[in-house]
Amino acid sequence: MAGELGGTNMAGEATTGRRGRAVAPPVVADLGRRARAAWRSRRAGPLLKLGAAVAGVPLLITVAFGAVPFGVYLYGLVVGSLYALVAFGLILVYRANRVINFAQGALGAVPAITGILLLANRNWPYPVCVLIVLVGAPVTGALVEVLFIRRFLRSPRVILTLATIGVAQFLSFFVFILAVKWIPAQENKGFSIVTPFSSHHVQLGGVIFTADSLVTMVIVLAAGAGLTAFFRFTQVGLAVRASAENADRAQLIGVPVNRVRTIVWMIAGLLSAVAIFQRTVLLDQLPTGSGASGFSTTELLYGLAPAVVARMESFPIALAAGLAFGVIEQATFYATRNTDVAAAIVLPLVLVALLVQRARLSRAEDSGVATWREVKEFRPIPAELRLLPEVQWSRWGLWAVLAGLVLLAPRLAGAGRTDVASTLMIYAIIGVSLVFLSGWGGQISLGQFAIAGIGGAVAGGLATHHGMGFLYCVLLGGITGAALAVAIGIPALRLPGLFLGVTTLALSTNTEFFFLQTRYFPWLLPPESTHITRPVLFGGRLNLQGDLAYYYACVFVLVLAVACARSIRSHRSGRVIIAARDNARAAQSFGINLTRTRLAAFALSGFFA
């Protein structure tokens, strides 16, 4: 009987059961259970994942690109620790405000760049410059929270998230003024940063490391340990968790919610400033161009990615993920010598990180997400006032003025500016596409123009490579946009929250430097020397080659998009999308699948874009 069911022989080897399946020995099964329990535990789990990342990532890179010097991996760990520092700040703000802070890279930029410029261009003492960073960063974070973020606390989360983007642009302007006008470099003097640790260096694996690298790692590890202890053992940390879970209830029991949020933004500003300061010291190069705020979009994504892996919750997991992303970035750049390829890895890494996570949140997280509104619709005109003559005349008058402006726009723009008016109509069509996603679905897309660009590039490629007709190209371009939205949305929309913004931001960055480059996709994109002419439709009866004719064609498509949006809004599909946005729990109780509903809204948005 024992031999029939399977077991072990005298040597302790596994035997085969009735159906031919191998049965593991009890010792092996027990070890497997213990290993799974340790992997999932809160204490040993992050350490095991960190070890797996440190050991597994170099192995995968070696298989994909070949041998990479050991020093490159070490340098990747140093750079990745700074990405983890940015991720720490993102997690802090998300816990306090339940929004993804896209200004994290710029939050500490003003004091950090001020200290760097005074150190490099004015030869101020290093301790004084560090003190400027350590004092100025919390002050900047507090000012941003009080002057900007607090004004949007009662606003929907989409609006608050967009406000962080505006804060990033605002701070970037001051950084630019600092570097160009207020503390510029002296004539005939190159930019060079000298710290007390710069003279101490060692060569490891073909890469020269200064003591600044060691200082960076120590700062990051101390920050991770300190933040973990802050949330677990301090009253302020517990207050942050309470206010994040339910701000109204926390305020009722005496938690100073506004003061707690200010403290969070002060810490986030300090983390951002330290990351920017140490990164500039390591690179010995002042951020310029897109990185004038301290971190470029790609580098901000490398900070967002670890935070997404950690589900905006765990500092140890964010640290492990940040180190892994830094190693991947540096090793890929070394193997390919191409920054575009290294940046293109961000999107698949973010998608995989979202895909492998569980779609359900804990009760506390779900309560915190439910505390905040996604978006707020404008109230329609009350039925009692809708039939008043003055209201009706006002409505028709506004529509007449709008129609007149649209029809007379080429005349108002002047000769030779009709193409600008056509571009505005195209932007309006993309704006209509965002109604499906942001207005109805309560999600935010930072890559809507990327979706439109890829769809347009596919349509142009079909026209140039295969001679396909204009209407077919437009239709297939829209289908491409919808398919791309589905592919991006499946991992991102499974989780409650605004993780789609991170994914679409990664898509936007990769589209500019990778997907729309003919050297990578020559079979898909139209050749650079090819000019796609405007069509002549219906056997010559409709000629759109002129600027004026093409403008009115764009107006017609805009009207058609608005009509389709109004039609979908008035039918069941539109009402289901809005119901899932307004009350997710009630929608689920009625059998509505939230992921599919949000995915449908994103697919419609991608098609119309």
Side-chain angles (χ1 to χ4, degrees):
M1 188 69 178
E4 185 179 354
L5 295 178
T8 59
N9 56 18
M10 296 297 295
E13 298 175 349
T15 62
T16 304
R18 183 183 304 171
R19 297 183 181 180
R21 294 184 299 177
V23 180
V27 177
V28 176
D30 184 61
L31 289 175
R33 285 193 297 270
R34 290 185 179 183
R36 288 193 295 270
W39 182 267
R40 297 172 181 174
S41 68
R42 292 187 175 182
R43 294 183 178 180
L47 295 177
L48 291 175
K49 292 172 183 177
L50 175 60
V54 172
V57 169
L59 179 61
L60 293 175
I61 293 174
T62 302
V63 173
F65 301 109
V68 176
F70 178 68
V72 176
Y73 291 124
L74 291 180
Y75 187 71
L77 291 176
V78 177
V79 175
S81 67
L82 295 176
Y83 297 149
L85 208 59
V86 178
F88 293 164
L90 290 163
I91 293 173
L92 271 174
V93 174
Y94 186 83
R95 283 189 172 191
N97 294 98
R98 294 299 178 187
V99 294
I100 298 175
N101 179 22
F102 289 101
Q104 181 61 32
L107 192 58
V110 174
I113 299 301
T114 300
I116 286 292
L117 293 174
L118 292 175
L119 178 65
N121 297 342
R122 298 294 184 267
N123 296 321
W124 280 37
Y126 178 79
V128 175
C129 297
V130 171
L131 185 63
I132 291 174
V133 175
L134 297 180
V135 175
V139 172
T140 304
L143 290 175
V144 167
E145 196 279 332
V146 172
L147 297 179
F148 299 100
I149 303 303
R150 193 173 293 184
R151 301 293 178 266
F152 296 94
L153 286 180
R154 296 298 177 184
S155 301
R157 288 191 304 154
V158 172
I159 303 300
L160 182 54
T161 303
L162 293 175
T164 63
I165 300 176
V167 169
Q169 299 297 321
F170 180 75
L171 294 175
S172 299
F173 169 76
F174 279 98
V175 173
F176 176 78
I177 296 297
L178 277 171
V180 174
K181 292 187 177 181
W182 292 348
I183 319 177
Q186 299 178 3
E187 296 183 3
N188 302 324
K189 181 183 177 181
F191 184 82
S192 179
I193 301 175
V194 179
T195 70
F197 310 101
S198 301
S199 58
H200 305 282
H201 56 82
V202 63
Q203 184 173 357
L204 296 173
V207 178
I208 298 176
F209 292 88
T210 64
D212 290 306
S213 300
L214 179 61
V215 171
T216 300
M217 296 295 292
V218 171
I219 290 174
V220 174
L221 293 175
L227 289 172
T228 302
F230 169 77
F231 274 105
R232 290 188 178 181
F233 306 116
T234 65
Q235 292 184 351
V236 178
L238 295 176
V240 171
R241 296 173 62 180
S243 61
E245 291 170 8
N246 195 314
D248 296 331
R249 183 173 58 191
Q251 200 161 14
L252 287 176
I253 63 176
V255 175
V257 175
N258 289 336
R259 190 186 309 168
V260 166
R261 287 173 179 153
T262 303
I263 294 174
V264 166
W265 280 84
M266 292 172 66
I267 299 174
L270 180 61
L271 294 173
S272 172
V274 172
I276 294 172
F277 187 88
Q278 288 299 119
R279 175 182 177 273
T280 310
V281 168
L282 290 176
L283 297 179
D284 199 19
Q285 180 181 359
L286 186 68
T288 56
S290 62
S293 63
F295 279 94
S296 66
T297 304
T298 303
E299 290 155 346
L300 176 61
L301 281 172
Y302 273 109
L304 284 165
V308 170
V309 172
R311 298 193 65 154
M312 297 292 178
E313 179 183 5
S314 173
F315 294 108
I317 295 178
L319 174 61
L323 297 177
F325 279 109
V327 169
I328 292 173
E329 179 205 17
Q330 295 299 318
T332 304
F333 175 72
Y334 177 86
T336 61
R337 294 297 193 275
N338 193 330
T339 56
D340 295 340
V341 176
I345 296 179
V346 180
L347 179 60
L349 290 177
V350 171
L351 292 177
V352 171
L354 291 172
L355 195 60
V356 299
Q357 296 187 35
R358 293 181 301 170
R360 298 181 63 183
L361 293 177
S362 65
R363 181 178 298 180
E365 292 175 298
D366 184 58
S367 176
V369 172
T371 304
W372 298 83
R373 292 175 299 172
E374 302 288 351
V375 294
K376 179 182 178 181
E377 280 195 339
F378 289 102
R379 293 182 179 180
I381 300 175
E384 296 80 4
L385 301 178
R386 200 174 302 165
L387 299 179
L388 293 178
E390 53 268 27
V391 174
Q392 290 184 336
W393 281 107
S394 299
R395 293 178 63 187
W396 284 109
L398 290 175
W399 280 111
V401 170
L402 179 62
L405 289 175
V406 171
L407 293 176
L408 298 177
R411 305 281 185 182
L412 298 176
R417 303 295 299 275
T418 308
D419 55 340
V420 177
S422 302
T423 303
L424 292 178
M425 294 299 105
I426 295 173
Y427 288 168
I429 296 171
I430 298 177
V432 173
S433 73
L434 285 172
V435 171
F436 295 100
L437 180 65
S438 299
W440 299 353
Q443 294 290 326
I444 183 173
S445 171
L446 300 178
Q448 202 69 7
F449 277 92
I451 296 176
I454 292 176
V458 169
L462 291 174
T464 55
H465 293 303
H466 304 285
M468 193 170 291
F470 175 76
L471 296 180
Y472 292 106
C473 290
V474 171
L475 179 61
L476 291 176
I479 294 174
T480 301
L484 181 61
V486 171
I488 297 296
I490 287 176
L493 294 174
R494 292 168 58 252
L495 302 175
L498 299 176
F499 294 105
L500 184 64
V502 180
T503 310
T504 51
L505 181 63
L507 173 66
S508 176
T509 302
N510 289 359
T511 299
E512 180 181 1
F513 299 107
F514 188 70
F515 293 134
L516 293 186
Q517 297 294 326
T518 54
R519 56 176 171 169
Y520 301 123
F521 299 97
W523 54 272
L524 179 64
L525 304 176
E528 295 181 356
S529 59
T530 303
H531 179 71
I532 302 176
T533 59
R534 295 169 182 170
V536 178
L537 304 176
F538 308 117
R541 289 190 292 271
L542 182 59
N543 190 344
L544 301 181
Q545 293 182 348
D547 290 342
L548 189 61
Y550 186 73
Y551 168 78
Y552 287 118
C554 293
V555 172
F556 174 77
V557 175
L558 174 61
V559 172
L560 186 63
V562 172
C564 291
R566 291 178 62 89
S567 176
I568 295 174
R569 173 66 177 83
S570 61
H571 287 78
R572 182 181 182 276
S573 55
R575 293 194 294 268
V576 166
I577 295 173
I578 294 174
R581 178 206 68 192
D582 289 342
N583 196 325
R585 294 177 182 175
Q588 282 182 313
S589 65
F590 282 99
I592 297 175
N593 188 301
L594 297 181
T595 302
R596 293 179 183 176
T597 302
R598 294 166 179 156
L599 197 61
F602 195 23
L604 287 171
S605 176
F607 178 82
F608 281 92

